[in-house]
PDB file of all heavy atoms in Angstrom:
ATOM      1  N   ALA A 190       1.741  -6.062  -3.911  1.00  0.00           N
ATOM      2  CA  ALA A 190       2.071  -4.799  -4.565  1.00  0.00           C
ATOM      3  C   ALA A 190       1.800  -4.935  -6.058  1.00  0.00           C
ATOM      4  O   ALA A 190       2.125  -5.945  -6.670  1.00  0.00           O
ATOM      5  CB  ALA A 190       3.536  -4.460  -4.322  1.00  0.00           C
ATOM      6  N   SER A 199       9.852   2.429  -6.466  1.00  0.00           N
ATOM      7  CA  SER A 199      11.139   2.260  -7.132  1.00  0.00           C
ATOM      8  C   SER A 199      11.748   3.627  -7.452  1.00  0.00           C
ATOM      9  O   SER A 199      12.954   3.855  -7.279  1.00  0.00           O
ATOM     10  CB  SER A 199      10.947   1.444  -8.408  1.00  0.00           C
ATOM     11  OG  SER A 199      12.123   1.409  -9.185  1.00  0.00           O
ATOM     12  N   GLU A 203      15.107   5.308  -6.183  1.00  0.00           N
ATOM     13  CA  GLU A 203      16.110   5.772  -7.141  1.00  0.00           C
ATOM     14  C   GLU A 203      16.530   7.206  -6.832  1.00  0.00           C
ATOM     15  O   GLU A 203      17.716   7.547  -6.930  1.00  0.00           O
ATOM     16  CB  GLU A 203      15.553   5.657  -8.563  1.00  0.00           C
ATOM     17  CG  GLU A 203      16.594   5.946  -9.629  1.00  0.00           C
ATOM     18  CD  GLU A 203      16.133   5.583 -11.025  1.00  0.00           C
ATOM     19  OE1 GLU A 203      14.993   5.087 -11.175  1.00  0.00           O
ATOM     20  OE2 GLU A 203      16.910   5.800 -11.973  1.00  0.00           O
ATOM     21  N   ARG A 206      18.933   6.989  -3.992  1.00  0.00           N
ATOM     22  CA  ARG A 206      20.199   6.341  -4.364  1.00  0.00           C
ATOM     23  C   ARG A 206      21.018   7.204  -5.318  1.00  0.00           C
ATOM     24  O   ARG A 206      22.243   7.099  -5.356  1.00  0.00           O
ATOM     25  CB  ARG A 206      19.918   4.973  -4.970  1.00  0.00           C
ATOM     26  CG  ARG A 206      19.388   3.956  -3.949  1.00  0.00           C
ATOM     27  CD  ARG A 206      18.634   2.816  -4.631  1.00  0.00           C
ATOM     28  NE  ARG A 206      19.448   2.185  -5.642  1.00  0.00           N
ATOM     29  CZ  ARG A 206      19.033   1.925  -6.896  1.00  0.00           C
ATOM     30  NH1 ARG A 206      17.806   2.253  -7.266  1.00  0.00           N
ATOM     31  NH2 ARG A 206      19.832   1.349  -7.757  1.00  0.00           N
ATOM     32  N   ARG A 227      13.927  14.583  -0.322  1.00  0.00           N
ATOM     33  CA  ARG A 227      12.903  15.577  -0.675  1.00  0.00           C
ATOM     34  C   ARG A 227      12.033  15.074  -1.824  1.00  0.00           C
ATOM     35  O   ARG A 227      10.805  15.144  -1.777  1.00  0.00           O
ATOM     36  CB  ARG A 227      13.558  16.886  -1.136  1.00  0.00           C
ATOM     37  CG  ARG A 227      14.247  17.680  -0.091  1.00  0.00           C
ATOM     38  CD  ARG A 227      15.020  18.836  -0.745  1.00  0.00           C
ATOM     39  NE  ARG A 227      14.114  19.688  -1.485  1.00  0.00           N
ATOM     40  CZ  ARG A 227      13.362  20.611  -0.920  1.00  0.00           C
ATOM     41  NH1 ARG A 227      13.413  20.798   0.388  1.00  0.00           N
ATOM     42  NH2 ARG A 227      12.570  21.344  -1.644  1.00  0.00           N
ATOM     43  N   LYS A 231       8.075  14.056  -1.533  1.00  0.00           N
ATOM     44  CA  LYS A 231       7.063  14.779  -2.312  1.00  0.00           C
ATOM     45  C   LYS A 231       6.324  13.824  -3.252  1.00  0.00           C
ATOM     46  O   LYS A 231       5.106  13.923  -3.407  1.00  0.00           O
ATOM     47  CB  LYS A 231       7.728  15.908  -3.110  1.00  0.00           C
ATOM     48  CG  LYS A 231       8.184  17.071  -2.242  1.00  0.00           C
ATOM     49  CD  LYS A 231       8.627  18.260  -3.083  1.00  0.00           C
ATOM     50  CE  LYS A 231       9.032  19.440  -2.188  1.00  0.00           C
ATOM     51  NZ  LYS A 231       9.358  20.652  -2.958  1.00  0.00           N
ATOM     52  N   ARG A 249      -5.812  26.803  -8.240  1.00  0.00           N
ATOM     53  CA  ARG A 249      -4.639  27.436  -8.849  1.00  0.00           C
ATOM     54  C   ARG A 249      -4.145  28.606  -7.989  1.00  0.00           C
ATOM     55  O   ARG A 249      -3.534  29.558  -8.497  1.00  0.00           O
ATOM     56  CB  ARG A 249      -4.988  27.920 -10.267  1.00  0.00           C
ATOM     57  CG  ARG A 249      -5.230  26.774 -11.250  1.00  0.00           C
ATOM     58  CD  ARG A 249      -5.520  27.270 -12.646  1.00  0.00           C
ATOM     59  NE  ARG A 249      -4.547  28.241 -13.114  1.00  0.00           N
ATOM     60  CZ  ARG A 249      -3.325  27.948 -13.574  1.00  0.00           C
ATOM     61  NH1 ARG A 249      -2.933  26.692 -13.626  1.00  0.00           N
ATOM     62  NH2 ARG A 249      -2.520  28.901 -13.976  1.00  0.00           N
ATOM     63  N   ASP A 260      14.306  32.135  -7.229  1.00  0.00           N
ATOM     64  CA  ASP A 260      14.520  31.149  -8.279  1.00  0.00           C
ATOM     65  C   ASP A 260      13.402  31.209  -9.328  1.00  0.00           C
ATOM     66  O   ASP A 260      12.226  31.085  -8.991  1.00  0.00           O
ATOM     67  CB  ASP A 260      14.528  29.776  -7.599  1.00  0.00           C
ATOM     68  CG  ASP A 260      14.903  28.670  -8.552  1.00  0.00           C
ATOM     69  OD1 ASP A 260      14.778  28.862  -9.767  1.00  0.00           O
ATOM     70  OD2 ASP A 260      15.323  27.619  -8.051  1.00  0.00           O
ATOM     71  N   PRO A 261      13.759  31.391 -10.614  1.00  0.00           N
ATOM     72  CA  PRO A 261      12.717  31.512 -11.637  1.00  0.00           C
ATOM     73  C   PRO A 261      11.869  30.235 -11.794  1.00  0.00           C
ATOM     74  O   PRO A 261      10.747  30.306 -12.281  1.00  0.00           O
ATOM     75  CB  PRO A 261      13.503  31.785 -12.919  1.00  0.00           C
ATOM     76  CG  PRO A 261      14.897  31.351 -12.653  1.00  0.00           C
ATOM     77  CD  PRO A 261      15.108  31.538 -11.178  1.00  0.00           C
ATOM     78  N   GLU A 265       5.615  28.632  -6.806  1.00  0.00           N
ATOM     79  CA  GLU A 265       4.734  29.728  -7.193  1.00  0.00           C
ATOM     80  C   GLU A 265       3.288  29.454  -6.791  1.00  0.00           C
ATOM     81  O   GLU A 265       2.509  30.367  -6.540  1.00  0.00           O
ATOM     82  CB  GLU A 265       4.838  29.903  -8.713  1.00  0.00           C
ATOM     83  CG  GLU A 265       3.964  30.982  -9.249  1.00  0.00           C
ATOM     84  CD  GLU A 265       4.285  31.330 -10.689  1.00  0.00           C
ATOM     85  OE1 GLU A 265       5.340  30.906 -11.195  1.00  0.00           O
ATOM     86  OE2 GLU A 265       3.456  32.020 -11.286  1.00  0.00           O
ATOM     87  N   GLU A 269       2.562  23.727  -4.315  1.00  0.00           N
ATOM     88  CA  GLU A 269       4.009  23.496  -4.219  1.00  0.00           C
ATOM     89  C   GLU A 269       4.515  23.762  -2.801  1.00  0.00           C
ATOM     90  O   GLU A 269       5.395  23.064  -2.310  1.00  0.00           O
ATOM     91  CB  GLU A 269       4.744  24.397  -5.223  1.00  0.00           C
ATOM     92  CG  GLU A 269       4.439  24.062  -6.676  1.00  0.00           C
ATOM     93  CD  GLU A 269       5.127  25.008  -7.645  1.00  0.00           C
ATOM     94  OE1 GLU A 269       4.682  26.179  -7.750  1.00  0.00           O
ATOM     95  OE2 GLU A 269       6.096  24.593  -8.286  1.00  0.00           O
ATOM     96  N   ARG A 293      11.078  -1.473  -0.327  1.00  0.00           N
ATOM     97  CA  ARG A 293      11.337  -2.706  -1.082  1.00  0.00           C
ATOM     98  C   ARG A 293      10.562  -3.882  -0.492  1.00  0.00           C
ATOM     99  O   ARG A 293      10.052  -4.744  -1.225  1.00  0.00           O
ATOM    100  CB  ARG A 293      12.842  -3.006  -1.095  1.00  0.00           C
ATOM    101  CG  ARG A 293      13.216  -4.147  -2.011  1.00  0.00           C
ATOM    102  CD  ARG A 293      14.705  -4.423  -1.965  1.00  0.00           C
ATOM    103  NE  ARG A 293      15.151  -4.721  -0.615  1.00  0.00           N
ATOM    104  CZ  ARG A 293      16.389  -5.099  -0.287  1.00  0.00           C
ATOM    105  NH1 ARG A 293      17.317  -5.179  -1.235  1.00  0.00           N
ATOM    106  NH2 ARG A 293      16.704  -5.355   0.960  1.00  0.00           N
ATOM    107  N   ASP A 296       7.187  -3.830  -1.952  1.00  0.00           N
ATOM    108  CA  ASP A 296       7.178  -4.303  -3.344  1.00  0.00           C
ATOM    109  C   ASP A 296       7.207  -5.828  -3.405  1.00  0.00           C
ATOM    110  O   ASP A 296       6.587  -6.436  -4.274  1.00  0.00           O
ATOM    111  CB  ASP A 296       8.394  -3.761  -4.106  1.00  0.00           C
ATOM    112  CG  ASP A 296       8.294  -2.270  -4.381  1.00  0.00           C
ATOM    113  OD1 ASP A 296       7.256  -1.670  -4.044  1.00  0.00           O
ATOM    114  OD2 ASP A 296       9.265  -1.718  -4.919  1.00  0.00           O
ATOM    115  N   TRP A 297       7.955  -6.429  -2.496  1.00  0.00           N
ATOM    116  CA  TRP A 297       8.102  -7.885  -2.507  1.00  0.00           C
ATOM    117  C   TRP A 297       6.845  -8.607  -2.025  1.00  0.00           C
ATOM    118  O   TRP A 297       6.620  -9.768  -2.369  1.00  0.00           O
ATOM    119  CB  TRP A 297       9.273  -8.298  -1.595  1.00  0.00           C
ATOM    120  CG  TRP A 297      10.631  -8.128  -2.199  1.00  0.00           C
ATOM    121  CD1 TRP A 297      10.929  -8.031  -3.538  1.00  0.00           C
ATOM    122  CD2 TRP A 297      11.885  -8.048  -1.502  1.00  0.00           C
ATOM    123  NE1 TRP A 297      12.285  -7.893  -3.706  1.00  0.00           N
ATOM    124  CE2 TRP A 297      12.902  -7.900  -2.474  1.00  0.00           C
ATOM    125  CE3 TRP A 297      12.243  -8.086  -0.151  1.00  0.00           C
ATOM    126  CZ2 TRP A 297      14.252  -7.805  -2.130  1.00  0.00           C
ATOM    127  CZ3 TRP A 297      13.584  -7.985   0.187  1.00  0.00           C
ATOM    128  CH2 TRP A 297      14.579  -7.840  -0.792  1.00  0.00           C
ATOM    129  N   ASP A 299       3.547 -10.446  -1.365  1.00  0.00           N
ATOM    130  CA  ASP A 299       2.587 -11.057  -2.291  1.00  0.00           C
ATOM    131  C   ASP A 299       1.941 -12.266  -1.627  1.00  0.00           C
ATOM    132  O   ASP A 299       2.570 -13.320  -1.469  1.00  0.00           O
ATOM    133  CB  ASP A 299       3.305 -11.478  -3.574  1.00  0.00           C
ATOM    134  CG  ASP A 299       2.335 -11.937  -4.652  1.00  0.00           C
ATOM    135  OD1 ASP A 299       1.110 -11.939  -4.403  1.00  0.00           O
ATOM    136  OD2 ASP A 299       2.814 -12.286  -5.751  1.00  0.00           O
TER     137      ASP A 299
ATOM    138  N   ALA B 196      -4.202  24.297 -15.976  1.00  0.00           N
ATOM    139  CA  ALA B 196      -3.493  23.300 -15.185  1.00  0.00           C
ATOM    140  C   ALA B 196      -4.128  23.207 -13.799  1.00  0.00           C
ATOM    141  O   ALA B 196      -4.437  24.228 -13.184  1.00  0.00           O
ATOM    142  CB  ALA B 196      -2.019  23.677 -15.067  1.00  0.00           C
ATOM    143  N   SER B 205       6.060  20.299 -11.165  1.00  0.00           N
ATOM    144  CA  SER B 205       6.950  20.993 -10.237  1.00  0.00           C
ATOM    145  C   SER B 205       8.019  20.035  -9.711  1.00  0.00           C
ATOM    146  O   SER B 205       9.194  20.389  -9.578  1.00  0.00           O
ATOM    147  CB  SER B 205       6.114  21.564  -9.082  1.00  0.00           C
ATOM    148  OG  SER B 205       6.947  22.087  -8.070  1.00  0.00           O
ATOM    149  N   GLU B 209      11.958  20.143 -10.092  1.00  0.00           N
ATOM    150  CA  GLU B 209      12.820  20.131  -8.907  1.00  0.00           C
ATOM    151  C   GLU B 209      13.904  19.063  -9.029  1.00  0.00           C
ATOM    152  O   GLU B 209      15.060  19.291  -8.644  1.00  0.00           O
ATOM    153  CB  GLU B 209      11.964  19.896  -7.651  1.00  0.00           C
ATOM    154  CG  GLU B 209      12.760  20.067  -6.369  1.00  0.00           C
ATOM    155  CD  GLU B 209      11.869  20.100  -5.136  1.00  0.00           C
ATOM    156  OE1 GLU B 209      10.638  20.034  -5.290  1.00  0.00           O
ATOM    157  OE2 GLU B 209      12.420  20.187  -4.029  1.00  0.00           O
ATOM    158  N   ARG B 212      16.501  20.499 -11.268  1.00  0.00           N
ATOM    159  CA  ARG B 212      17.211  21.629 -10.660  1.00  0.00           C
ATOM    160  C   ARG B 212      18.090  21.189  -9.487  1.00  0.00           C
ATOM    161  O   ARG B 212      19.098  21.839  -9.183  1.00  0.00           O
ATOM    162  CB  ARG B 212      16.208  22.683 -10.193  1.00  0.00           C
ATOM    163  CG  ARG B 212      15.521  23.394 -11.368  1.00  0.00           C
ATOM    164  CD  ARG B 212      14.215  24.052 -10.936  1.00  0.00           C
ATOM    165  NE  ARG B 212      14.400  24.916  -9.797  1.00  0.00           N
ATOM    166  CZ  ARG B 212      13.656  24.888  -8.685  1.00  0.00           C
ATOM    167  NH1 ARG B 212      12.646  24.023  -8.563  1.00  0.00           N
ATOM    168  NH2 ARG B 212      13.894  25.709  -7.702  1.00  0.00           N
ATOM    169  N   ARG B 233      16.488  11.683 -15.537  1.00  0.00           N
ATOM    170  CA  ARG B 233      15.987  10.307 -15.362  1.00  0.00           C
ATOM    171  C   ARG B 233      14.744  10.307 -14.468  1.00  0.00           C
ATOM    172  O   ARG B 233      13.731   9.697 -14.788  1.00  0.00           O
ATOM    173  CB  ARG B 233      17.041   9.428 -14.689  1.00  0.00           C
ATOM    174  CG  ARG B 233      18.239   9.079 -15.523  1.00  0.00           C
ATOM    175  CD  ARG B 233      19.279   8.378 -14.633  1.00  0.00           C
ATOM    176  NE  ARG B 233      18.718   7.168 -14.070  1.00  0.00           N
ATOM    177  CZ  ARG B 233      18.620   6.039 -14.746  1.00  0.00           C
ATOM    178  NH1 ARG B 233      19.051   5.965 -15.978  1.00  0.00           N
ATOM    179  NH2 ARG B 233      18.097   4.970 -14.184  1.00  0.00           N
ATOM    180  N   LYS B 237      10.939   9.434 -15.718  1.00  0.00           N
ATOM    181  CA  LYS B 237      10.222   8.290 -15.143  1.00  0.00           C
ATOM    182  C   LYS B 237       8.928   8.744 -14.464  1.00  0.00           C
ATOM    183  O   LYS B 237       7.887   8.093 -14.582  1.00  0.00           O
ATOM    184  CB  LYS B 237      11.118   7.528 -14.160  1.00  0.00           C
ATOM    185  CG  LYS B 237      12.233   6.751 -14.842  1.00  0.00           C
ATOM    186  CD  LYS B 237      12.969   5.856 -13.853  1.00  0.00           C
ATOM    187  CE  LYS B 237      14.040   5.041 -14.580  1.00  0.00           C
ATOM    188  NZ  LYS B 237      14.724   4.077 -13.689  1.00  0.00           N
ATOM    189  N   ARG B 255       3.238  -8.583 -11.633  1.00  0.00           N
ATOM    190  CA  ARG B 255       4.406  -8.650 -10.738  1.00  0.00           C
ATOM    191  C   ARG B 255       5.550  -9.422 -11.401  1.00  0.00           C
ATOM    192  O   ARG B 255       6.404 -10.013 -10.719  1.00  0.00           O
ATOM    193  CB  ARG B 255       4.004  -9.316  -9.413  1.00  0.00           C
ATOM    194  CG  ARG B 255       3.057  -8.448  -8.582  1.00  0.00           C
ATOM    195  CD  ARG B 255       2.702  -9.097  -7.263  1.00  0.00           C
ATOM    196  NE  ARG B 255       3.862  -9.562  -6.537  1.00  0.00           N
ATOM    197  CZ  ARG B 255       4.707  -8.781  -5.849  1.00  0.00           C
ATOM    198  NH1 ARG B 255       4.492  -7.479  -5.810  1.00  0.00           N
ATOM    199  NH2 ARG B 255       5.725  -9.297  -5.217  1.00  0.00           N
ATOM    200  N   ASP B 266      23.226  -4.131  -7.773  1.00  0.00           N
ATOM    201  CA  ASP B 266      22.730  -3.220  -6.748  1.00  0.00           C
ATOM    202  C   ASP B 266      21.553  -3.844  -5.976  1.00  0.00           C
ATOM    203  O   ASP B 266      20.565  -4.245  -6.575  1.00  0.00           O
ATOM    204  CB  ASP B 266      22.264  -1.956  -7.480  1.00  0.00           C
ATOM    205  CG  ASP B 266      21.869  -0.856  -6.542  1.00  0.00           C
ATOM    206  OD1 ASP B 266      21.569  -1.149  -5.375  1.00  0.00           O
ATOM    207  OD2 ASP B 266      21.852   0.290  -6.998  1.00  0.00           O
ATOM    208  N   PRO B 267      21.660  -3.903  -4.633  1.00  0.00           N
ATOM    209  CA  PRO B 267      20.578  -4.545  -3.866  1.00  0.00           C
ATOM    210  C   PRO B 267      19.242  -3.805  -3.978  1.00  0.00           C
ATOM    211  O   PRO B 267      18.202  -4.407  -3.772  1.00  0.00           O
ATOM    212  CB  PRO B 267      21.101  -4.516  -2.424  1.00  0.00           C
ATOM    213  CG  PRO B 267      22.166  -3.470  -2.400  1.00  0.00           C
ATOM    214  CD  PRO B 267      22.758  -3.440  -3.769  1.00  0.00           C
ATOM    215  N   PHE B 268      19.263  -2.525  -4.311  1.00  0.00           N
ATOM    216  CA  PHE B 268      18.005  -1.805  -4.467  1.00  0.00           C
ATOM    217  C   PHE B 268      17.736  -1.487  -5.939  1.00  0.00           C
ATOM    218  O   PHE B 268      16.957  -0.611  -6.266  1.00  0.00           O
ATOM    219  CB  PHE B 268      18.010  -0.525  -3.614  1.00  0.00           C
ATOM    220  CG  PHE B 268      18.025  -0.818  -2.145  1.00  0.00           C
ATOM    221  CD1 PHE B 268      19.210  -0.755  -1.424  1.00  0.00           C
ATOM    222  CD2 PHE B 268      16.874  -1.208  -1.488  1.00  0.00           C
ATOM    223  CE1 PHE B 268      19.235  -1.048  -0.067  1.00  0.00           C
ATOM    224  CE2 PHE B 268      16.890  -1.503  -0.140  1.00  0.00           C
ATOM    225  CZ  PHE B 268      18.079  -1.425   0.575  1.00  0.00           C
ATOM    226  N   GLU B 271      14.229  -4.941 -10.341  1.00  0.00           N
ATOM    227  CA  GLU B 271      13.894  -6.336 -10.105  1.00  0.00           C
ATOM    228  C   GLU B 271      12.618  -6.719 -10.842  1.00  0.00           C
ATOM    229  O   GLU B 271      12.420  -7.870 -11.214  1.00  0.00           O
ATOM    230  CB  GLU B 271      13.718  -6.534  -8.597  1.00  0.00           C
ATOM    231  CG  GLU B 271      13.360  -7.932  -8.232  1.00  0.00           C
ATOM    232  CD  GLU B 271      13.428  -8.164  -6.732  1.00  0.00           C
ATOM    233  OE1 GLU B 271      13.978  -7.304  -6.013  1.00  0.00           O
ATOM    234  OE2 GLU B 271      12.903  -9.194  -6.288  1.00  0.00           O
ATOM    235  N   GLU B 275       9.949  -1.828 -13.731  1.00  0.00           N
ATOM    236  CA  GLU B 275      11.111  -0.966 -13.505  1.00  0.00           C
ATOM    237  C   GLU B 275      11.985  -0.902 -14.754  1.00  0.00           C
ATOM    238  O   GLU B 275      12.543   0.144 -15.082  1.00  0.00           O
ATOM    239  CB  GLU B 275      11.925  -1.480 -12.307  1.00  0.00           C
ATOM    240  CG  GLU B 275      11.170  -1.393 -10.988  1.00  0.00           C
ATOM    241  CD  GLU B 275      11.966  -1.984  -9.838  1.00  0.00           C
ATOM    242  OE1 GLU B 275      12.110  -3.230  -9.776  1.00  0.00           O
ATOM    243  OE2 GLU B 275      12.473  -1.214  -9.007  1.00  0.00           O
ATOM    244  N   ARG B 299       6.733  24.659 -17.069  1.00  0.00           N
ATOM    245  CA  ARG B 299       6.221  25.831 -16.350  1.00  0.00           C
ATOM    246  C   ARG B 299       5.156  26.551 -17.174  1.00  0.00           C
ATOM    247  O   ARG B 299       4.160  27.044 -16.623  1.00  0.00           O
ATOM    248  CB  ARG B 299       7.382  26.772 -16.024  1.00  0.00           C
ATOM    249  CG  ARG B 299       6.987  27.931 -15.124  1.00  0.00           C
ATOM    250  CD  ARG B 299       8.160  28.852 -14.841  1.00  0.00           C
ATOM    251  NE  ARG B 299       8.706  29.405 -16.068  1.00  0.00           N
ATOM    252  CZ  ARG B 299       9.692  30.296 -16.112  1.00  0.00           C
ATOM    253  NH1 ARG B 299      10.237  30.726 -14.989  1.00  0.00           N
ATOM    254  NH2 ARG B 299      10.139  30.746 -17.269  1.00  0.00           N
ATOM    255  N   ASP B 302       1.941  24.899 -16.506  1.00  0.00           N
ATOM    256  CA  ASP B 302       1.405  25.240 -15.184  1.00  0.00           C
ATOM    257  C   ASP B 302       0.727  26.607 -15.207  1.00  0.00           C
ATOM    258  O   ASP B 302      -0.291  26.816 -14.545  1.00  0.00           O
ATOM    259  CB  ASP B 302       2.520  25.266 -14.131  1.00  0.00           C
ATOM    260  CG  ASP B 302       3.051  23.883 -13.818  1.00  0.00           C
ATOM    261  OD1 ASP B 302       2.515  22.902 -14.363  1.00  0.00           O
ATOM    262  OD2 ASP B 302       4.005  23.792 -13.032  1.00  0.00           O
ATOM    263  N   TRP B 303       1.303  27.528 -15.966  1.00  0.00           N
ATOM    264  CA  TRP B 303       0.767  28.884 -15.999  1.00  0.00           C
ATOM    265  C   TRP B 303      -0.537  28.981 -16.788  1.00  0.00           C
ATOM    266  O   TRP B 303      -1.328  29.899 -16.555  1.00  0.00           O
ATOM    267  CB  TRP B 303       1.803  29.829 -16.648  1.00  0.00           C
ATOM    268  CG  TRP B 303       2.897  30.266 -15.732  1.00  0.00           C
ATOM    269  CD1 TRP B 303       2.891  30.254 -14.366  1.00  0.00           C
ATOM    270  CD2 TRP B 303       4.178  30.797 -16.124  1.00  0.00           C
ATOM    271  NE1 TRP B 303       4.090  30.739 -13.895  1.00  0.00           N
ATOM    272  CE2 TRP B 303       4.895  31.081 -14.949  1.00  0.00           C
ATOM    273  CE3 TRP B 303       4.786  31.048 -17.357  1.00  0.00           C
ATOM    274  CZ2 TRP B 303       6.182  31.615 -14.958  1.00  0.00           C
ATOM    275  CZ3 TRP B 303       6.064  31.582 -17.371  1.00  0.00           C
ATOM    276  CH2 TRP B 303       6.757  31.860 -16.184  1.00  0.00           C
ATOM    277  N   ASP B 305      -4.069  29.158 -18.280  1.00  0.00           N
ATOM    278  CA  ASP B 305      -5.376  29.212 -17.634  1.00  0.00           C
ATOM    279  C   ASP B 305      -6.332  30.040 -18.495  1.00  0.00           C
ATOM    280  O   ASP B 305      -6.216  31.276 -18.567  1.00  0.00           O
ATOM    281  CB  ASP B 305      -5.233  29.844 -16.243  1.00  0.00           C
ATOM    282  CG  ASP B 305      -6.520  29.759 -15.442  1.00  0.00           C
ATOM    283  OD1 ASP B 305      -7.530  29.224 -15.969  1.00  0.00           O
ATOM    284  OD2 ASP B 305      -6.514  30.223 -14.294  1.00  0.00           O
TER     285      ASP B 305
END
Side-chain angles (χ1 to χ4, degrees):
Chain A
S199 172
E203 188 169 359
R206 291 158 55 229
R227 290 172 59 80
K231 288 189 178 185
R249 291 182 50 78
D260 187 339
E265 179 168 347
E269 295 177 287
R293 188 181 58 175
D296 289 356
W297 281 340
D299 188 359
Chain B
S205 172
E209 188 169 358
R212 291 160 53 230
R233 289 172 60 80
K237 289 188 177 184
R255 291 182 50 77
D266 187 339
F268 293 100
E271 180 170 347
E275 295 177 288
R299 187 181 59 176
D302 290 357
W303 280 340
D305 188 359

